[in-house]
Amino acid sequence: MSSATGQSTQGSQDDVPSAYPPPPEFAENAVAKAGLYDEAEQDRLAYWAKEARRLQWDTDFTDTLDWTDAPFAKWFVGGKLNVAANCVDRHVDAGNGDRVAIHWVGEPGDTRDITYSDLLTEVSQAANYFTSLGLVAGDRVAVYMPMVPEAIVTILACARLGLPHSVVFAGFSAGALRSRVDDAEAKLVVTTDGQFRRGQPAPLKEAVDSALGTGDDAAKSVEKVLVVRRTGHDPDLNWVDGRDVWWHETVANASDTHAYEAFDAEHPLFLLYTSGTTGKPKGILHTSGGYLTQVSSTFHNVFDHRPESDVFWCGADIGWVTGHSYLVYGPLSNGATEIIYEGTPNSPNEHRHFEIIEKYRVTTYYIAPTLIRTFMKWGREIPDAHDLSSLRLLGSVGEPINPEAWRWYREVLGANSAPIVDTWWQTETGGMMVSPLPGVTATKPGSAMKPLPGISAKIVDDDANEVAQGEQGYLVIDKPWPAMLRGIWRDNDRYKETYWSRFAAQGWYFAGDGARYDSDGALWVLGRIDDVMNISGHRISTSEVESALVNHHGVAEAAVIGAADETTGQGIVAFVILRGSTVDTGDDLIKELKDQVSKDISPIAKPREIYVVPELPKTRSGKIMRRLLKDVAEGRELGDTSTLVDPTVFENIRKKK
Ligand code: WTA
């Protein structure tokens, strides 16, 4: 595979550059230089050991990697560290306590600037209170919170005490929260009374109450629910005496000094549930030393980070892995100053993000392509009305970015010069895996370019042979990496089966994405090849939505696919067969079905379209042929229908569409 780095910039027929080299001054002063690739290639483990030593270890490690029990890795064997101390205390000890860690911006316009010293105080208080509840290292804590500072404080207090956190996106339903609380057997749930969403206070604790249930139905593991008062607006706020406590009456009064303990490098840091190909979400397990090493190192190199002058903004929610790695652990372990914004990009209007960039002089901005396409739809006059000259580096994550959106991003937000880092990674990989280095790589719009230093990935065919340039295949990771998942919570078999069985003979990790190399050897990620959809950068499995639909009493069977969508990447399209007794009430029924999915999973999983059909296309073995439904939904000619039991089903489906 030839390197795409440093190649010619002009090329395509229509005068649009095919590759964009970094601006010369950027390249000259870059944090990460081209030499990193060679260094890591020569001795991958030595490279990661060096990156690990950017952190503060209370006991140094003796071995970089133990892979003898593959696919269960141990990184930085024998090492001990405290993840929260690396994110907070270390910077205060180095004399940077007055540096702002977080410029927090609430949706209604309230703001808070939190320094590293402030963070140390608050994290210590939370840690002291959690300890007073009897929680000990290893106990799990569920976090169901909007983007308020206390969410970060909670996460760091958990890390400080060795309590694995399980953050559940606050947009998920009560049912989704309950199944995650039960699976992890969380003892403590931290939440807020409500949240501001599109200008309105909306209740949140209500969902916790409904999730945790009462009496015989109560979640058995939960001892306490800790509530932050955010909106103060829920007139019907329910309170369970003995179980529920207010943050401002407990944490806020706890002692603000706390001596941390160092934990083993492999101590579990968090669980994060993500959609797989079956209905039941998997609890992805990450541990301490390897995870922090990779997210800290990639934050430093890929974001060309300068702690004294940069202001970083990652637009992800803490409920997703991007929030964990590049809103909490990556930036804070580097002593960064960052923005945390509570609300949606169009509250109170579409200028919101650009006002924040302008006000805080944001230098580095990291968002999903869906948001870029939304900005494009709103029109460039909106960003053009603001001084965005502080932006010097732009990032993209979560889904493939189309070249048109890439070019718009660079031109309109990046003043035609800011490098773009298109970073491919997953909940499972913990940190970035494939991405340009901003001062080194001549980037191509739409390509994540090549594996980062220390990472080894390939694109292979069914027989594990590397594909030729121009061909597509499966993206695999052929060497262990520090932030790799350590398993699926209490399900080792599923872990091995999901990720390591496809190329078991080779011992490679199967990512579930299709990809190809272009004629210059640059890597293009094409998207999921399994039954996982990607809606606005959020992973949702077809079977999760299908089971929500059949939960409706009127539905006999459902098939769900992700169809191409101009803004959200993919949109959910569902085909349902009704039970014989169900009366098709048209739009009312469709609305009911959409609401059912919203309620069972989350509004983000609500289908864009639902079609009531008489039959579904099935193979002789009874498998629904989703590929054909996708053809129908995207308005294409049907692909191969020869394995269908009844090729005429499409006549009927088309008639309904
Ligand atoms: C997709 C989000 C193309 C991919 C960090 C992957 C991407 C899934 C990119 C993981 C990218 C993520 N280009 N596709 N730069 N980044 N993906 O677990 O399909 O929420 O498998 O992690 O998102 O989604 P997850």
Side-chain angles (χ1 to χ4, degrees), residues 330-599:
L332 298 178
S333 63
N334 280 285
T337 297
E338 63 171 334
I339 307 288
I340 292 183
Y341 171 54
E342 181 184 35
T344 52
N346 52 352
S347 287
N349 59 48
E350 291 85 0
H351 289 267
R352 194 60 185 267
H353 270 227
F354 309 111
E355 281 165 1
I356 294 174
I357 293 172
E358 187 170 13
K359 172 172 176 194
Y360 291 99
R361 307 289 301 153
V362 172
T363 58
T364 317
Y365 185 53
Y366 188 42
I367 55 173
T370 293
L371 186 56
I372 301 168
R373 291 189 292 263
T374 303
F375 290 155
M376 288 169 78
K377 225 166 46 185
W378 290 345
R380 71 170 291 166
E381 58 282 6
I382 294 174
D384 282 350
H386 300 273
D387 174 7
L388 306 180
S389 61
S390 55
L391 288 174
R392 64 179 194 90
L393 179 57
L394 302 170
S396 172
V397 61
E399 45 175 335
I401 178 166
N402 47 314
E404 197 195 353
W406 194 103
R407 290 200 166 91
W408 189 94
Y409 196 27
R410 182 174 182 276
E411 184 185 329
V412 179
L413 269 67
N416 261 326
S417 73
I420 295 181
V421 287
D422 173 6
T423 61
W424 175 87
W425 57 292
Q426 309 177 299
T427 305
E428 292 87 342
T429 70
M432 297 170 186
M433 302 294 281
V434 181
S435 163
L437 285 179
V440 177
T441 318
T443 48
K444 294 183 164 195
S447 168
M449 301 308 293
K450 66 177 196 168
L452 284 165
I455 301 298
S456 185
K458 284 190 176 107
I459 307 173
V460 300
D461 63 18
D462 280 309
D463 300 321
N465 299 311
E466 197 155 8
V467 299
Q469 294 188 348
E471 301 285 310
Q472 73 185 66
Y474 307 112
L475 183 56
V476 297
I477 304 167
D478 59 325
K479 302 257 167 52
W481 64 102
M484 66 193 291
L485 74 167
R486 299 302 197 262
I488 294 177
W489 182 246
R490 291 186 176 155
D491 202 344
N492 287 346
D493 290 343
R494 192 173 177 198
Y495 169 61
K496 287 192 233 168
E497 169 63 31
T498 310
Y499 305 107
W500 303 93
S501 64
R502 191 74 169 70
F503 295 103
Q506 294 75 16
W508 294 342
Y509 170 87
F510 177 67
D513 276 311
R516 69 176 178 89
Y517 300 118
D518 68 14
S519 54
D520 295 315
L523 191 155
W524 296 68
V525 178
L526 302 169
R528 306 289 309 187
I529 46 126
D530 51 16
D531 291 332
V532 175
M533 301 174 287
N534 191 324
I535 316 297
S536 300
H538 300 143
R539 272 166 72 170
I540 298 163
S541 81
T542 51
S543 54
E544 260 175 294
V545 180
E546 284 164 4
S547 51
L549 285 167
V550 297
N551 259 347
H552 186 280
H553 54 83
V555 175
E557 214 181 333
V560 165
I561 54 118
D565 186 289
E566 250 185 34
T567 307
T568 58
Q570 289 190 321
I572 301 179
V573 179
F575 299 85
V576 297
I577 303 179
L578 300 182
R579 284 183 196 279
S581 54
T582 311
V583 183
D584 183 352
T585 52
D587 290 350
D588 288 348
L589 176 70
I590 301 296
K591 181 172 180 309
E592 248 183 59
L593 294 178
K594 289 186 179 176
D595 290 347
Q596 171 89 29
V597 178
S598 220
K599 190 174 118 287

